Amino acid sequence: MRCTVFGTGYLGATHAVGMAELGHEVIGVDVDPGKVAKLSDGDVPFYEPGLRKMLCDNLAAGRLQFTTDYAAAADFAEVHFLGVGTPQKKGEYGADLRHVHAVIDELVPRLTRPSVIVGKSTVPVGTAADLGRRAAALAQPGVDVEVAWNPEFLREGFAVQDTLHPDRIVLGVQPDSRRAEAALRQLYAPMLDDGVPFLLTDLQTAELVKVSANAFLATKISFINAISEVCEAADADVTLLADALGYDPRIGRRFLNAGLGFGGGCLPKDIRAFMARAGELGANQALTFLREVDSINMRRRTRMVELATTACGGSLLGANIAVLGAAFKPESDDVRDSPALNVAGLLQLNGATVNVYDPKALENSRKVFPTLTYSTSVAEACDRADAVLVLTEWQEFVDLDPAELAGIVRARVVVDGRNCLRHQRWRDAGWLVYSLGRRTERV
Ligand code: UGA
């Protein structure tokens, strides 16, 4: 089949490549000629394991192209995916829908055949129905344009796997929909044949599934981080506690890793937009708990600065700190609302000299915090450090040899911001280990 994907950011580029991998002919469309040129050359503008190869394979097979030309894209297919960004509005909690509106406004008047526009972006509930009305008003006479919503659940770092093998496919359709379900069933046939559950809903339920999923994940993380605060007060161990909770299949161990909390381009902005939208709908009380989820999460960052201060003997002034990790999570170069990078910035504001190392996110970090010092290896960042902070759980850091690192630093003090290190191993090598939600045992 043929389809287009509007927006070649994280979501759109991955979806375009994934659709081509399933055997379809795909055009990815973006207003940014730079992104289009890079992708056309087989270059992914962000780090995502496995995506570059899949992009190159499909470009070479002739199934995938990228363009800035809306007219060519409108003419190419009858199914158009919408994967543009919906960031948080400046100074407000709500989502900024200008990119979504721009696609509808530019694309719909150019459509000459009955078409389906399938939204994948995360949007406030009610947006898809609005876009349906907007599209109907803009469509050429006699050209029927349907809007459907097919939320995306992929995780950065696992985007290829999640796109080709999703947990479920959710499709929201207009009440009078005629084409969306059949078109999507055909496009996703290889996945449906693999037994991936397919849930057909109305537009608003599909929109809500997505934000509810992210709100649940954020709540789960903040839950364990709140318990982590109590663990610190009671001298208990949050990691053992999470392991014990996780054996209950109703709870599960995943997303119960206590530490510096959640960040990235999705969870933080999605829970805020969800609260804002619930308020607009008159259901504001329903989601007040998400405000608490947000503040527990933000408290993690200040707590980490306190812990680093303690680790440096009570003051950050003049302390030489190595920060390992800047990405919001491992296997990503994304630093949007990254807890690690925010903590690095806060430490510097408090008078420390901060040397940051991240395997993939250095370039993006430099753009956000140009005044921090960036190192190109763990050893360089840790050179004569008074404390080493592990703030993103890259495997490279989990596997560090504490005995080797001991010869580089000024003080054998490590702060495990993600509860990812084997503390006994570090203690055996003479390190003092601090972490969130677990006691510090003197060697
Ligand atoms: C999240 C969702 O997991 C995806 O399902 C969703 O599609 C995506 O948002 C989106 O809306 O586009 P992602 O932002 O890639 O995916 O990252 P996650 O793996 O969810 O991690 C989010 C944050 O939570 C990271 O900062 C991570 O370090 C933190 N986290 C995760 C914890 O602090 N503890 C945990 O136990 C798990």
Side-chain angles (χ1 to χ4, degrees):
M1 277 179 83
R2 287 180 156 199
C3 65
T4 70
V5 182
F6 286 78
T8 61
Y10 199 85
L11 165 63
T14 309
H15 189 64
V17 175
M19 286 295 99
E21 181 71 13
L22 293 182
H24 304 302
E25 285 180 54
V26 184
I27 296 190
V29 193
D30 205 292
V31 289
D32 179 347
K35 272 189 195 164
V36 165
K38 270 196 163 183
L39 287 161
S40 302
D41 281 348
D43 190 3
V44 179
F46 47 85
Y47 175 72
E48 180 60 46
L51 190 57
R52 187 164 196 273
K53 181 179 181 309
M54 207 160 83
L55 168 70
C56 292
D57 288 353
N58 284 287
L59 286 170
R63 283 192 293 266
L64 181 60
Q65 315 163 48
F66 293 91
T67 184
T68 54
D69 185 345
Y70 268 59
D75 195 44
F76 181 77
E78 282 150 27
V79 179
H80 303 279
F81 287 100
L82 198 159
V84 291
T86 51
Q88 188 176 336
K89 277 188 195 157
K90 286 213 167 35
E92 281 177 58
Y93 268 12
D96 181 348
L97 296 176
R98 88 178 72 164
H99 304 301
V100 174
H101 289 153
V103 172
I104 298 290
D105 295 352
E106 292 296 318
L107 170 66
V108 174
R110 293 183 164 93
L111 297 171
T112 54
R113 304 192 296 279
S115 307
V116 187
I117 298 178
V118 188
K120 294 200 74 71
S121 311
T122 303
V123 291
V125 60
T127 303
D130 276 350
L131 296 180
R133 288 187 284 271
R134 200 172 175 115
L138 289 165
Q140 291 182 28
V143 177
D144 184 55
V145 180
E146 265 186 43
V147 170
W149 221 259
N150 169 223
E152 179 58 63
F153 303 101
L154 67 79
R155 298 159 297 166
E156 296 190 15
F158 299 91
V160 169
Q161 160 76 14
D162 287 353
T163 301
L164 298 177
H165 308 282
D167 299 327
R168 73 289 207 191
I169 295 169
V170 175
L171 179 66
V173 297
Q174 291 174 336
D176 56 351
S177 168
R178 272 175 295 184
R179 286 183 300 278
E181 184 185 356
L184 269 271
R185 279 190 182 276
Q186 233 182 313
L187 272 168
Y188 291 152
M191 301 190 290
L192 297 175
D193 292 346
D194 277 352
V196 174
F198 182 92
L199 291 99
L200 187 69
T201 71
D202 50 46
L203 292 174
Q204 57 277 27
T205 303
E207 292 167 320
L208 275 176
V209 168
K210 169 65 197 213
V211 278
S212 309
N214 276 1
F216 187 87
L217 294 172
T219 304
K220 200 168 177 190
I221 298 168
S222 276
F223 171 82
I224 199 65
N225 282 330
I227 299 295
S228 161
E229 290 182 7
V230 182
C231 282
E232 281 184 21
D235 208 20
D237 186 310
V238 73
T239 305
L240 289 175
L241 180 143
D243 289 344
L245 290 184
Y247 282 110
D248 183 334
R250 293 170 304 174
I251 299 175
R253 182 61 178 81
R254 293 175 74 188
F255 271 69
L256 274 189
N257 294 325
L260 202 42
F262 59 82
C266 301
L267 263 43
K269 71 132 170 112
D270 285 354
I271 60 168
R272 292 171 194 156
F274 199 12
M275 282 185 267
R277 186 65 186 134
E280 285 165 10
L281 292 169
N284 34 353
Q285 269 195 318
L287 299 186
T288 46
F289 75 96
L290 286 180
R291 199 175 288 276
E292 196 52 38
V293 165
D294 204 358
S295 60
I296 293 165
N297 192 53
M298 297 315 277
R299 271 207 306 272
R300 299 289 75 206
R301 302 177 190 188
T302 36
R303 176 71 191 120
M304 176 47 81
V305 174
E306 281 168 24
L307 202 57
T309 310
T310 308
C312 289
S315 171
L316 289 170
L317 269 183
N320 192 23
I321 297 187
V323 165
L324 303 185
F328 85 103
K329 67 173 198 178
E331 296 304 326
S332 168
D333 64 355
D334 196 342
V335 295
R336 284 176 294 170
D337 201 354
S338 167
L341 198 55
N342 278 4
V343 165
L346 281 171
L347 293 170
Q348 191 192 39
L349 279 176
N350 282 284
T353 301
V354 183
N355 297 293
V356 182
Y357 168 70
D358 187 283
K360 295 288 174 194
L362 290 181
E363 206 183 309
N364 286 340
S365 304
R366 250 193 216 106
K367 289 182 202 150
V368 182
F369 273 110
T371 54
L372 294 171
T373 306
Y374 293 98
S375 303
T376 53
S377 67
V378 170
E380 193 185 326
C382 294
D383 184 30
R384 281 163 292 155
D386 295 306
V388 176
L389 271 55
V390 178
L391 302 186
T392 312
E393 66 277 35
W394 284 97
Q395 197 59 41
E396 181 183 347
F397 307 152
V398 175
D399 293 341
L400 279 174
D401 181 350
E404 213 176 284
L405 210 58
I408 298 171
V409 294
R410 192 146 55 197
R412 278 181 248 178
V413 174
V414 66
V415 185
D416 181 3
R418 292 289 178 183
N419 283 309
C420 62
L421 303 178
R422 274 177 289 159
H423 292 189
Q424 195 53 51
R425 189 162 170 255
W426 285 73
R427 279 195 288 269
D428 290 347
W431 288 74
L432 188 55
V433 185
Y434 291 88
S435 64
L436 295 164
R438 293 160 84 182
R439 69 184 140 260
T440 303
E441 281 174 32
R442 305 276 150 185
V443 226

